[in-house]
Amino acid sequence: MGLWHVFYPGWQMECCGTPFAVGDEVSWQLLLERADDLADGGGPGLLTEVAGPVEELRDTDADETGRDDGDPDDRADADADADADADADADDGDGGDTDEDDEDDDGYEGSVQLLREDTGLLVALAQTLRRPPAEMPAGDRVRAAGLLGVERHGARWPEVTGRVRAVQVVSRDYAETAPGSRPWEPVPGRRRLRPVERCPKWFDDGEVRTGEDGRGHRRYEEGALVTLEVPGTDSRLSRAVREARGIPHTGAAPGAETAGLTPEALRTLLEGLSTVSGSGPS
């Protein structure tokens, strides 16, 4: 059993997510993102390292076999998107549409690159971690480090199923760039994790208060940090748990790191191993 830190962005949950609790079995698409692109990295204790062969999966309204899955809602959504794109093309004033209009700047539109980690975890690589397909063809082995996140929009790929072992709400303090200004900026050293039994559906934007510097301040909940236990995998976090419990890595049975621990004891241990950069006082 591999333990993995997974960040569930608050906006993804609020948009179309389903709340879950400690002990629940969940299935999510996992996206490995560059640490600085997701919750500003969180901290070294939250990073995931993966290594394995890359495979490419085309993004269509089809399942992983390439067959249409027969979901009429998907096709209706696709038709609506196509109509919206056509309207946008008609109104953009550029004299017509081109192939470039249908692609992202890096040319990745319409495809997903997946990495099957050596111990079995399947993740998609964010565009910031990818090279053009010609430079990273299917079957090539790559090693990458970043922060795992839940992705519920855009491309589709096979989900990972696991059991939730801990949930912590990630929050950070923000302040106005100047008194009365509209832009807000993060306050260094003011990020924290708050353990909860259940992931909330809605995240708090925080009550605005005036600080000693005259600027408005608020504590903003960015999302949930989930510890997900995935059968048939292993991870750096699992190794850290084994070390904390004095269990040797060599010869350890799958799931040995969590065997015999009550849910409360496991959660406490996991919370101690979860760190965020710039954690400040509550």
Side-chain angles (χ1 to χ4, degrees):
M1 297 284 189
L3 299 169
W4 305 88
H5 284 312
V6 178
F7 181 69
Y8 203 126
W11 73 269
Q12 297 252 18
M13 171 59 69
E14 292 179 351
C15 174
C16 51
T18 300
F20 51 87
V22 174
D24 286 353
E25 184 178 87
V26 296
S27 294
W28 295 328
Q29 289 186 163
L30 297 184
L31 180 68
L32 184 69
E33 301 199 46
R34 194 174 63 180
D36 291 344
D37 294 337
L38 192 64
D40 285 342
L46 308 184
L47 297 186
T48 291
E49 296 177 351
V50 295
V54 168
E55 57 188 77
E56 187 172 5
L57 176 70
R58 288 290 169 182
D59 174 23
T60 63
D61 281 332
D63 61 16
E64 60 269 26
T65 66
R67 296 186 296 271
D68 188 286
D69 61 9
D71 187 339
D73 291 335
D74 290 340
R75 289 194 291 273
D77 291 343
D79 291 342
D81 291 342
D83 290 342
D85 291 342
D87 291 342
D89 292 338
D91 295 338
D92 61 12
D94 64 358
D97 193 16
T98 65
D99 291 341
E100 287 76 13
D101 293 330
D102 293 331
E103 295 184 353
D104 291 339
D105 291 340
D106 57 13
Y108 285 134
E109 182 72 17
S111 69
V112 176
Q113 284 182 334
L114 301 177
L115 184 147
R116 193 171 298 278
E117 203 269 337
D118 285 338
T119 67
L121 190 74
L122 183 68
V123 301
L125 298 178
Q127 292 184 7
T128 51
L129 293 176
R130 293 164 57 178
R131 300 192 303 272
E135 298 178 13
M136 192 168 59
D140 271 17
R141 286 185 56 81
V142 299
R143 181 180 298 274
L147 195 58
L148 282 177
V150 177
E151 180 56 58
R152 297 188 56 84
H153 295 77
R156 299 171 57 191
W157 60 89
E159 296 179 337
V160 170
T161 298
R163 191 165 301 280
V164 175
R165 290 300 188 184
V167 183
Q168 300 174 83
V169 172
V170 182
S171 62
R172 184 161 53 152
D173 283 8
Y174 283 77
E176 295 174 325
T177 54
S181 67
R182 186 177 183 86
W184 293 73
E185 61 184 1
V187 179
R190 299 289 295 186
R191 182 191 274 118
R192 60 196 51 78
L193 297 172
R194 175 171 58 86
V196 294
E197 285 290 335
R198 183 177 182 83
C199 177
K201 173 63 176 177
W202 307 103
F203 291 82
D204 189 2
D205 288 342
E207 180 180 354
V208 178
R209 63 190 188 281
T210 302
E212 296 179 356
D213 56 5
R215 298 186 298 166
H217 289 252
R218 72 190 330 164
R219 181 174 298 177
Y220 176 75
E221 294 180 348
E222 299 177 306
L225 177 69
V226 182
T227 304
L228 190 66
E229 187 175 44
V230 181
T233 68
D234 197 9
S235 67
R236 184 172 68 173
L237 179 57
S238 292
R239 293 190 290 272
V241 172
R242 289 196 292 269
E243 290 174 1
R245 299 190 64 196
I247 300 173
H249 299 308
T250 304
E257 60 269 22
T258 60
L261 287 179
T262 65
E264 293 76 16
L266 176 58
R267 186 180 67 182
T268 300
L269 176 57
L270 292 172
E271 289 167 3
L273 295 172
S274 301
T275 61
V276 293
S277 59
S279 296
S282 299

